[in-house]
Amino acid sequence: AQSVTQLDSQVPVFEEAPVELRCNYSSSVSVYLFWYVQYPNQGLQLLLKYLSGSTLVESINGFEAEFNKSQTSFHLRKPSVHISDTAEYFCAVRGNEKLTFGTGTRLTIIP
Amino acid sequence: EPEVTQTPSHQVTQMGQEVILRCVPISNHLYFYWYRQILGQKVEFLVSFYNNEISEKSEIFDDQFSVERPDGSNFTLKIRSTKLEDSAMYFCASTLKGGQPQHFGDGTRLSIL
């Protein structure tokens, strides 16, 4: 069985400030981890993924996440946020077939 | 970049009616999925489909639900007799290989009256 916990339902951050969105997971099988982003009135877009190899993964728009096996975490970070980062962020784990999602974190950027 | 497309974007249906949600996965993908997101809640897995059969389904996916790949491009979700609690955003996803990231469509918002 798999589960994902996103501890923060909402995170307000000032523009150009750093942000960390927390994600903890549990899985009884091999772990593949993902962050998806959902902009208002849109679908889910893959932000970044951990499948194997380097524990630090990066996206093209400045986000990064680090897989920490001992802490069963996959926190998402960005050193300086922009207004355009306003969205809901979902952490997900894939064991066999399905993705199991967390409850999401709504990131609000304050100008 | 290839996309997963879903139609319609919004479907309004009377309770008890049948509804079919349509998806066109990315053309060379082999694994297909349906998820749903009830307003304000998390995204939940419904069913996965590979090699023309269901490979996994959740407890939500009861006898009222069915999936079909009627031709080489479409992947449909049918709800036979809709209930109020079926109101949700339904997402279709596809991937080329198991373990690879799933690509999602923009969803169909289903409203049951």
Side-chain angles (χ1 to χ4, degrees), chain A residues 16-38:
Chain A
E16 298 184 6
V19 69
E20 178 180 82
L21 306 183
R22 294 180 292 170
C23 171
N24 289 89
Y25 70 91
S26 68
S27 178
S28 56
V29 296
S30 298
V31 172
Y32 303 111
L33 292 159
F34 307 89
W35 277 98
Y36 283 85
V37 58
Q38 186 177 32

Side-chain angles (χ1 to χ4, degrees), chain A residues 36 49 94 97-99 102, chain B residues 33 35 45 56 98-99 101-102:
Chain A
Y36 283 85
K49 61 184 184 286
R94 176 171 173 156
E97 287 277 348
K98 65 183 183 184
L99 286 174
Chain B
Y33 309 85
Y35 292 81
F45 169 78
E56 186 176 353
Q102 295 174 20

Side-chain angles (χ1 to χ4, degrees), chain B residues 87-105:
Chain B
S87 294
M89 181 74 88
Y90 288 79
F91 292 105
C92 174
S94 69
T95 187
L96 177 60
K97 292 169 61 174
Q100 293 297 316
Q102 295 174 20
H103 297 261
F104 284 77

Side-chain angles (χ1 to χ4, degrees), chain A residues 1-66:
Chain A
Q2 302 138 222
S3 67
V4 175
T5 302
Q6 291 183 249
L7 294 169
D8 306 303
S9 60
Q10 295 189 61
V11 173
V13 181
F14 285 103
E15 194 173 12
E16 298 184 6
V19 69
E20 178 180 82
L21 306 183
R22 294 180 292 170
C23 171
N24 289 89
Y25 70 91
S26 68
S27 178
S28 56
V29 296
S30 298
V31 172
Y32 303 111
L33 292 159
F34 307 89
W35 277 98
Y36 283 85
V37 58
Q38 186 177 32
Y39 297 104
N41 300 313
Q42 293 188 28
L44 296 165
Q45 299 176 31
L46 179 68
L47 187 60
L48 43 76
K49 61 184 184 286
Y50 171 78
L51 303 180
S52 64
S54 174
T55 56
L56 184 66
V57 291
E58 299 176 352
S59 73
I60 58 173
N61 56 356
F63 282 95
E64 65 179 31
E66 186 161 18

Side-chain angles (χ1 to χ4, degrees), chain B residues 24-74:
Chain B
V24 179
I26 295 173
S27 62
N28 63 336
H29 283 187
L30 301 175
Y31 296 78
F32 313 111
Y33 309 85
W34 283 101
Y35 292 81
R36 79 171 185 191
Q37 185 182 27
I38 294 172
L39 187 63
Q41 298 185 24
K42 65 179 177 180
V43 178
E44 302 172 290
F45 169 78
L46 292 178
V47 65
S48 58
F49 191 86
Y50 170 71
N51 200 25
N52 280 322
E53 59 183 23
I54 290 173
S55 47
E56 186 176 353
K57 60 182 181 180
S58 72
E59 62 276 6
I60 303 168
F61 195 88
D62 61 22
D63 291 343
Q64 296 295 318
F65 291 87
S66 62
V67 289
E68 192 178 27
R69 188 155 164 81
D71 52 41
S73 60
N74 291 282

